[in-house]
Amino acid sequence: MRFYPASAAAALLGLLLAGCQGNSTNSTADAGSAGSSAAANDGISATVIGQHIKQLASDEFQGRKPFTVGETKTTEYLAAQFKQLGMQPGPDGSYFQQVPLVEINTTPAATMQISGKGQPLTLRYQQDFVAVTEREQPRIELNNSALVFAGYGVVAPDYQWNDYAGLDVKGKTVVVLINDPGFVVGDTTLFKGKAMTYYGRWTYKYEEAARQGAAGVIIVHDTRPASYPWSVVQSSWSGSQLFPQSDDKGASKCALEGWMTLDAAKRLMQNAGQNFDALQAAANKPGFRPVPLGLNLTTSLTTTTRRTASKNVVAMLPGSERPEEYILYSAHWDHLGIGPAVQGDSIYNGAVDNASGCAALLNIAQAFAQAKEKPKRSIVFLAVTGEEQGLLGSAYYAAHPLFPLNKTVADLNMDALADFGPMKDLTVVGYGQSELDDYATAAAKEQERYIVPDQTPEQGHFFRSDHFSLAHVGVPALYASGRLESRAKGKEFAREQNEAYEAQHYHQPSDEYSPDRDLGGMEQDARLLYRIGQRLAGETTFPQWKAGSEFKAIREKSLAEKPRT
Ligand SMILES: [Zn+2]
């Protein structure tokens, strides 16, 4: 347990002031960057970023879970920092946007009982399955709910694919696979080949099963197609969950939403007289039809619920000439809070995820605040809540924008910046989607970096952070950071660092601040995004989505409408 005395804030203030005077210590991160002296004096530095991460990822902030002390400390810290930098509050005079959510703490029964053929099968909570509900009901019971294997659980007219075709699953429980058809068998002719589409995401699987009227939906966890280990599922799907408030109190959702291990799925299919591998192979072929397993599931969930509001933090620097046009910077402030202990540590500090993005957000605001040349367009800084629970804060902002969406030029999102030194690459998640790629390419060139598309599109990163909520309503969004090649130590080193983070630290208590980490890469990324924002703020252009992007039509429609907030 590490606590930071109040003097930390004083130390930070001292540093900010030092920063403002342009003698930040870390200009090396931008070897060869044009105007390196400008870079050196823009106030962006690994030191400032490190200080913010130290605070936000401290045990004192308790892993920054919404509705906890961690939320209060985090949102007040962010608002205070923005205020100190002279940033204005949102249009209603507040640095906070209330985000109404419902917290549901689900306690599943210790077992799921499977019966119907031969020996009954018992699955155990946490060991074999996890389960939650989005229904605001004190008790959920599934009694002898018929089990159906529904392949990938996808209904995709754009790919002539329907895993529910010909079977009514109302009241039944469907077992589905994660990711898109084709991925696990290496068939790149299906869907978008190696790149995951939204159909591959767990959120989509639950949404589609609910549309089909299923009582329960259970996703089979498999580390490669899921791109995270079972321990992440255990920690993310246990304890209280947050959901958007809905008028029907979640009644239109499946009563039970869960995951089971691959091993449990194999035992289940064997109990049904089926073979998991054969079923999975069939699910990866066009024309797959859902398979009733002839088994029934009995289990229950009890819940406590709380309806309240979490907070997005918003701050703005008005533009000097076209203040009614906005460049949006976003980063989620929330993380997993206090959860299942790992080696005695139960605080999920979230230093990389996403204290790093919040630190960069604050440092970029500092750079704009101290820049001699004021931006012509307005700059908006948005730290959102509920990202870990399904992009809740950014989805709420997209549905209740504080600034007109069709006057929002772009969203520049930061999430989990790399903490292993300056990078030679700039990896763009969703490369090819919009003209923002060109801005990223130019800014990277300034830092003698090259652009690469996301190297692991099968992990669906485009759908896994807050830029997706803005893209979903048509705002061109950029999600890019250095990830592939360390400037000093090359690609192999970077690959090892990424794999170590994913296997050991992603959504684990060990994602902690350490003074030993080289934050030079975060400084680079923050500066690059600052430069893109500066450029956009000085232009009159509205970068567009490229042909073939699923967001292009949404934007064109939005731009044609009269602005509304
Ligand atoms: Zn994150």
Side-chain angles (χ1 to χ4, degrees):
M1 282 271 181
R2 281 177 303 155
F3 278 83
Y4 293 87
S7 64
L12 175 64
L13 181 57
L15 196 76
L16 275 179
L17 293 172
C20 293
Q21 280 139 19
N23 56 7
S24 58
T25 53
N26 261 320
S27 58
T28 54
D30 268 5
S33 68
S36 59
S37 61
N41 291 316
D42 59 13
I44 292 182
S45 80
T47 310
V48 170
I49 289 170
Q51 286 294 340
H52 286 308
I53 295 176
K54 200 173 174 184
Q55 192 70 33
L56 291 162
S58 64
D59 288 350
E60 185 194 344
F61 281 48
Q62 301 191 4
R64 305 187 308 276
K65 185 155 187 181
F67 299 165
T68 70
V69 172
E71 164 155 5
T72 311
K73 285 182 181 283
T74 303
T75 52
E76 286 179 1
Y77 177 84
L78 293 166
Q81 294 296 324
F82 282 129
K83 199 169 180 185
Q84 245 164 32
L85 291 168
M87 297 293 149
Q88 293 190 1
D92 63 356
S94 168
Y95 285 100
F96 303 123
Q97 178 186 34
Q98 302 295 324
V99 179
L101 298 173
V102 58
E103 182 185 43
I104 303 180
N105 201 334
T106 303
T107 307
T111 64
M112 283 181 170
Q113 298 300 335
I114 313 286
S115 60
K117 282 183 185 168
Q119 280 298 314
L121 177 66
T122 298
L123 299 180
R124 300 190 186 291
Y125 176 53
Q126 285 284 352
Q127 196 183 320
D128 298 317
F129 76 93
V130 291
V132 299
T133 185
E134 288 191 53
R135 294 192 179 181
E136 296 177 52
Q137 281 170 235
R139 188 173 172 78
I140 300 272
E141 287 193 4
L142 265 63
N143 289 317
N144 288 315
S145 172
L147 282 162
V148 174
F149 174 66
Y152 284 86
V154 170
V155 178
D158 40 350
Y159 295 103
Q160 296 84 46
W161 198 280
N162 185 350
D163 287 324
Y164 288 96
L167 191 73
D168 178 355
V169 298
K170 284 190 189 56
K172 299 178 179 167
T173 295
V174 294
V175 176
V176 297
L177 304 172
I178 192 68
N179 211 307
D180 290 335
F183 175 70
V184 279
V185 294
D187 180 349
T188 56
T189 65
L190 299 177
F191 286 66
K192 273 193 177 171
K194 201 177 159 223
M196 183 198 276
T197 70
Y198 184 64
Y199 296 114
R201 286 286 290 157
W202 60 268
T203 42
Y204 170 81
K205 310 287 179 184
Y206 291 164
E207 289 159 7
E208 187 58 52
R211 277 191 287 270
Q212 299 292 326
V217 51
I218 303 173
I219 300 172
V220 176
H221 173 266
D222 185 357
T223 299
R224 203 168 68 85
S227 77
Y228 36 77
W230 178 247
S231 58
V232 168
V233 174
Q234 284 175 314
S235 63
S236 301
W237 265 267
S238 49
S240 67
Q241 309 282 311
L242 301 175
F243 302 103
Q245 286 184 12
S246 59
D247 298 340
D248 72 353
K249 295 196 169 195
S252 57
K253 302 284 180 179
C254 293
L256 180 146
E257 295 171 345
W259 292 76
M260 69 169 66
T261 63
L262 183 59
D263 174 65
K266 288 185 172 174
R267 279 184 280 136
L268 178 74
M269 300 312 172
Q270 194 179 15
N271 192 269
Q274 300 271 0
N275 173 278
F276 177 84
D277 295 336
L279 285 173
Q280 179 172 256
N284 280 279
K285 293 205 173 63
F288 168 83
R289 288 292 172 267
V291 180
L293 295 174
L295 297 175
N296 300 314
L297 166 71
T298 297
T299 194
S300 64
L301 309 168
T302 55
T303 75
T304 57
T305 64
R306 181 165 61 134
R307 280 188 159 220
T308 181
S310 182
K311 291 186 179 76
N312 288 338
V313 183
V314 60
M316 197 263 281
L317 176 66
S320 59
E321 286 180 23
R322 287 185 303 286
E324 73 296 346
E325 294 175 0
Y326 308 90
I327 316 297
L328 179 65
Y329 285 93
S330 59
H332 73 92
W333 61 254
D334 67 300
H335 197 52
L336 301 174
I338 294 172
V342 177
Q343 287 156 3
D345 183 354
S346 60
I347 299 183
Y348 290 66
N349 301 79
V352 164
D353 189 9
N354 188 31
S356 67
C358 291
L361 187 74
L362 289 172
N363 205 185
I364 290 169
Q366 178 190 331
F368 275 108
Q370 71 173 60
K372 291 193 183 52
E373 198 192 330
K374 293 303 168 205
K376 294 188 174 70
R377 287 167 152 165
S378 296
I379 314 292
V380 176
F381 303 94
L382 184 66
V384 290
T385 184
E387 188 272 355
E388 302 292 4
Q389 317 264 342
L391 314 181
L392 300 178
S394 56
Y396 185 82
Y397 179 88
H400 307 86
L402 297 172
F403 304 97
L405 294 174
N406 62 3
K407 289 295 182 184
T408 301
V409 175
D411 170 45
L412 306 172
N413 187 52
M414 292 156 282
D415 193 352
L417 301 176
D419 64 346
F420 43 89
M423 308 300 282
K424 263 183 138 173
D425 70 291
L426 181 72
T427 297
V428 178
V429 173
Y431 185 77
Q433 281 271 10
S434 88
E435 292 169 351
L436 288 175
D437 292 347
D438 310 330
Y439 288 76
T441 304
K445 200 153 176 280
E446 261 188 25
Q447 298 183 339
E448 292 189 2
R449 296 166 72 180
Y450 58 86
I451 285 271
V452 280
D454 175 9
Q455 300 296 297
T456 54
E458 72 276 9
Q459 297 187 0
H461 286 294
F462 191 80
F463 311 103
R464 290 172 59 177
S465 190
D466 298 297
H467 59 284
F468 180 57
S469 300
L470 277 302
H472 212 50
V473 290
V475 176
L478 180 71
Y479 179 36
S481 63
R483 206 154 284 286
L484 182 68
E485 184 175 0
S486 159
R487 184 169 288 283
K489 301 174 185 156
K491 285 187 178 172
E492 190 52 25
F493 170 79
R495 193 182 58 72
E496 285 161 8
Q497 293 288 320
N498 283 317
E499 284 178 4
Y501 171 74
E502 294 223 357
Q504 297 157 35
H505 306 304
Y506 173 65
H507 284 192
Q508 298 299 314
S510 57
D511 177 8
E512 290 178 321
Y513 170 76
S514 161
D516 309 333
R517 304 304 290 176
D518 180 346
L519 307 185
M522 292 185 187
E523 174 184 330
Q524 263 191 327
D525 289 339
R527 178 167 293 120
L528 182 134
L529 294 168
Y530 168 56
R531 300 286 293 150
I532 293 175
Q534 268 190 317
R535 183 179 160 196
L536 287 166
E539 295 179 354
T540 58
T541 48
F542 277 73
Q544 298 299 321
W545 295 100
K546 290 185 175 168
S549 164
E550 60 263 47
F551 308 110
K552 190 170 172 54
I554 305 164
R555 182 63 163 179
E556 283 162 357
K557 185 165 168 288
S558 153
L559 288 174
E561 282 163 8
K562 268 181 67 33
R564 55 183 166 79
T565 56

